[in-house]
Each structure stands twice: as C-alpha cells, then as structure tokens.
Amino acid sequence: KTAILAGLLSGLLFGIATPFSKLLLTNLNSFQLAGLLYIGAGLAMVPAIIKTGGQIQLLFKRNNLIRIIGIIFFGGLFGPLLLLFGLRAANAASVSIWLNLELVATALLGVLVFKDNLDKFTWVGVFLTVCAGVITSFGEGVSGLASAFLITGACICWRVDNHLTALTDGVTPQVVTFVKGIMAGTINFVI
C-alpha cells in the first residue's frame, strides 16, 4: 500500500513539475533552472546517504568512473537542458505528453543497443505513444516540432543515464543522484 501511494505521489509531482518549470523559465534561463533543479535533487539525497553511511568513494573506482561521467553528462547536463529549451518554445501540456517519449527511447535503445526482446503489446504501446507526440506537435506548429525533437533528445539522454546507473557497481541510486545533482547542477548553474 505504501509503495502504491509513493508511486502515485511521484507521478503527481512529476506531472506538475513541467508547468511549474515553465513558470520558472520566465525569470530564469534554462541553464540556471537546470542547475537549481539538479542541485536540489542532489541535496535531497543527503539524509539517505547519511543514513546508509554513504558510498561516494565507490563511484570513483576504475570500473565506475566512466559510467559516472556519462551519468553526469547525459542525465545531469544534456537531458535537463534539452527539456528546458524545448519547454521554453512550447506549452507545458505538449511537453508533458512528449516526455512520454522516454518510453519510446527506452524501447528502441533496448532493442537496438541492449538486444532486448519486446512483445507485440509493447510495440503497440510504443507506436501509440509516438502517435500522441506527433498529433500534439501539429497543434504547436514549427516551434512544436522543434520542441518535440528537443524533448526526444532529453528522453534519449535520460535513457542512457538510467542504463549507466543500473550498471554502476556497489552504489545506491541515492549516491548516484547526489553526485550527479551536485556536479551537473553546479556546472549548469555556473554556465
């Protein structure tokens, strides 16, 4: 029961993040907002890291170092910037629908790169998700199409981030989020 409530709450928060980000973009540029969002996410992980004793040093083991660099660049730098540049050019409702393209990116990268097998129902879901994104893009005109491509790029970046995070040895997701948030957030905010 707690897991279901946590899932529903996270879905609600994810859903309202896009319109609130659109509002914040009236006073901040994309780099500043991406930086603040990721620094905030990193700092939110501090209590969990303290509780578990932390494992930050494990990220810098030789086999994890390349992965954490990829996580920071794809998941923390490029992903949020592409999202916020896309959000600046389109309305929040359209961007919220385009964020579902992460499912498409996950499926396609899974099949093409990681050799996953998808059943026919998954392919139907992927197709319908693409259709929803295309239909939404028509209502936005040329700026909508450009935004859709930017959001798709962000979704691909986050898929790479998710895969690299899953391959990171001996480190909790909270530690990865902390390091990614602080490092990428600081770089974006300073730029």
Side-chain angles (χ1 to χ4, degrees):
K1 186 174 179 176
T2 304
I4 293 171
L5 291 175
L8 291 172
L9 179 61
S10 66
L12 174 68
L13 293 173
F14 182 77
I16 63 173
T18 303
F20 277 118
S21 294
K22 181 75 172 181
L23 290 173
L24 292 171
L25 282 171
T26 59
N27 295 316
L28 298 168
N29 67 43
S30 298
F31 288 95
Q32 291 169 329
L33 184 54
L36 289 173
L37 290 172
Y38 273 70
I39 290 170
L43 292 176
M45 295 299 111
V46 170
I49 293 170
I50 291 171
K51 184 178 178 181
T52 60
Q55 306 162 326
I56 295 173
Q57 73 280 2
L58 295 177
L59 281 176
F60 301 100
K61 290 185 347 186
R62 185 175 183 164
N63 59 337
N64 283 338
L65 190 56
I66 296 296
R67 292 177 188 134
I68 193 62
I69 291 170
I71 290 166
I72 290 168
F73 278 95
F74 284 101
L77 290 172
F78 301 134
L81 284 175
L82 290 170
L83 167 66
L84 293 173
F85 282 122
L87 181 58
R88 188 174 287 284
N91 71 52
S94 297
V95 172
S96 293
I97 290 181
W98 295 329
L99 283 170
N100 289 313
L101 293 174
E102 187 170 359
L103 170 130
V104 176
T106 298
L108 293 178
L109 286 173
V111 168
L112 298 174
V113 178
F114 308 117
K115 308 303 179 202
D116 293 342
N117 292 315
L118 303 180
D119 62 23
K120 63 183 175 184
F121 296 109
T122 304
W123 283 114
V124 168
V126 167
F127 175 74
L128 292 175
T129 303
V130 170
C131 288
V134 169
I135 290 167
T136 305
S137 296
F138 289 143
E140 293 281 329
V142 174
S143 67
L145 189 57
S147 288
F149 282 119
L150 289 167
I151 304 304
T152 301
C155 291
I156 291 169
C157 286
W158 286 320
R159 174 57 186 131
V160 172
D161 171 22
N162 291 340
H163 182 70
L164 292 173
T165 299
L167 293 175
T168 305
D169 294 329
V171 183
T172 64
Q174 292 87 352
V175 169
V176 173
T177 301
F178 171 76
V179 171
K180 173 176 60 176
I182 297 301
M183 300 281 288
T186 301
I187 291 168
N188 273 336
F189 190 73
V190 169
I191 292 175

